[in-house]
Amino acid sequence: MNKKTINNLLKLMTKSSLIALLGSFFPVLYILFPAMFVAESLKEGIVKVMGCFIGVCLILAILISPVVGISVLTMFGPMILIFNYMIINKYDVNTTIVINAILFFVSMIFISYTFGITPETLKSQDTISKFIEMQKELLDASVNVDFSTSNITMIYNRTLQIMPAILLLMSLFISYTTYTITGRTLLKENKIIMQPSSFIFFRLPNGIVISSIIGVAGVFLFQELIGENYFVIIENIVIVMGTLLLFEGLSVAKFLMMKARMASILQILIIVCALIIPGVQIIFIVLGFFDVLLNFRNVPN
């Protein structure tokens, strides 16, 4: 290896180790983690970069715990490999994002089962009791104990029901973000790859809404075979689809606001309101739905 390659790999190990260590306290930083290795692998080669990645996982295992090292290796290792392969072989952007999202989702499930976090464990009374006790300590509020306990239990059970949708959306977000950061990083170095377009041109693939409707209809028709959990499956499909349509609606709104030369502060205010004010999301979901059907911005597939 030449001196430049060695310096690049050392910088990668240093930056990624720092982000990984800080990520133990601020997990959101892990969003930046895989893109660093994917971008570098497209410049220096996957073998060298995977060696650095395994080295970082060993550092985490030594400095924090073996569980953290193994978890990071399992979650991000396959994603880095597949991203590198699919980008080099010029796979479609949407296909690359979806495949890596599914891969990340499966990795999270695998890690959970490996460390004994199963649906049965999460639903056990002992786990629920520990969760209630922890939440009461965090809230430390002077409320009626019975009322507090029943509400915390309801929130916990509700979260478990929609957990598949939450994990899938998180996987899609991490996959999309990884691809976007990788593309923008390489672009700064005058290296061009296929990458997700700007947010104002975000558009779901054709047929995704119809596929979701067919999925919901199929679950409903075969509810007797599926069992009592059929409604939970439908709810998770609706949550995932609704969230994706919300972001497409926000993308359309952002496009129109920029076209109208609206002040940046007003654009930010409208988007924030759309995300936090209950009920407003429906407007943007409907807008996103019609954009999928009519393609207002004439965005190519």
Side-chain angles (χ1 to χ4, degrees):
M1 288 191 291
N2 58 46
K3 187 176 180 180
K4 183 180 178 181
T5 299
I6 294 172
N7 287 336
N8 288 340
L9 294 177
L10 286 174
K11 286 179 183 178
L12 175 64
M13 283 198 71
T14 303
K15 288 191 296 184
S16 58
S17 296
L18 181 61
I19 287 175
L21 291 171
L22 291 174
S24 301
F25 304 98
F26 309 102
V28 70
L29 290 175
Y30 273 112
I31 293 173
L32 306 172
F33 193 73
M36 301 170 64
F37 291 94
V38 176
E40 201 64 36
S41 72
L42 295 169
K43 295 187 295 182
E44 302 295 348
I46 189 62
V47 175
K48 299 170 188 174
V49 170
M50 284 305 295
C52 287
F53 174 71
I54 292 170
V56 172
C57 292
L58 287 172
I59 291 171
L60 293 175
I62 294 169
L63 296 181
I64 303 177
S65 77
V67 171
V68 174
I70 293 170
S71 297
V72 172
L73 179 65
T74 306
M75 277 197 297
F76 297 116
M79 177 184 263
I80 294 167
L81 286 169
I82 299 303
F83 252 122
N84 176 273
Y85 174 81
M86 297 187 79
I87 291 173
I88 286 176
N89 288 280
K90 295 180 171 58
Y91 277 77
D92 173 70
V93 170
N94 288 331
T95 302
T96 303
I97 291 172
V98 171
I99 292 296
N100 280 281
I102 293 172
L103 186 65
F104 188 79
F105 180 83
V106 171
S107 296
M108 287 193 292
I109 300 298
F110 176 78
I111 291 169
S112 298
Y113 272 85
T114 300
F115 293 109
I117 305 173
T118 64
E120 292 74 22
T121 304
L122 294 171
K123 291 177 182 177
S124 69
Q125 190 56 50
D126 183 54
T127 302
I128 294 173
S129 298
K130 288 179 180 177
F131 178 80
I132 291 170
E133 184 180 345
M134 182 179 67
Q135 291 303 309
K136 284 182 177 178
E137 290 177 0
L138 290 173
L139 293 171
D140 195 25
S142 56
V143 296
N144 181 273
V145 174
D146 292 332
F147 179 78
S148 176
T149 299
S150 63
N151 274 272
I152 293 173
T153 303
M154 183 178 68
I155 292 169
Y156 179 81
N157 289 330
R158 174 69 177 154
T159 303
L160 285 185
Q161 285 184 338
I162 63 173
M163 186 58 71
I166 294 171
L167 293 178
L168 185 55
L169 287 169
M170 185 171 71
S171 299
L172 285 167
F173 176 74
I174 289 174
S175 181
Y176 176 84
T177 305
T178 297
Y179 206 163
T180 301
I181 294 174
T182 298
R184 304 305 189 264
T185 300
L186 293 173
L187 195 60
K188 290 178 181 177
E189 301 177 18
N190 296 319
K191 297 180 186 294
I192 300 173
I193 61 168
M194 286 197 301
Q195 57 184 289
S197 58
S198 174
F199 178 67
I200 62 170
F201 299 114
F202 173 78
R203 187 166 184 264
L204 297 173
N206 284 347
I208 191 168
V209 174
I210 295 173
S211 299
S212 298
I213 292 172
I214 292 172
V216 170
V219 173
F220 186 78
L221 288 172
F222 295 100
Q223 58 182 279
E224 291 185 4
L225 292 174
I226 295 170
E228 59 183 13
N229 290 325
Y230 82 95
F231 183 76
V232 175
I233 297 173
I234 291 175
E235 187 178 33
N236 277 275
I237 294 173
V238 170
I239 289 172
V240 170
M241 199 62 243
T243 304
L244 293 177
L245 288 174
L246 170 63
F247 278 96
E248 178 150 350
L250 289 172
S251 173
V252 174
K254 177 73 172 173
F255 175 85
L256 294 175
M257 288 187 291
M258 289 187 68
K259 193 173 181 180
R261 299 182 183 276
M262 186 180 291
S264 298
I265 187 67
L266 285 177
Q267 294 183 33
I268 294 170
L269 184 62
I270 290 171
I271 291 174
V272 170
C273 289
L275 292 173
I276 66 174
I277 298 177
V280 176
Q281 293 89 352
I282 298 297
I283 299 171
F284 292 91
I285 289 173
V286 171
L287 179 61
F289 176 77
F290 281 107
D291 185 60
V292 169
L293 298 179
L294 304 174
N295 194 5
F296 298 131
R297 297 161 293 172
N298 294 316
V299 177
N301 295 319

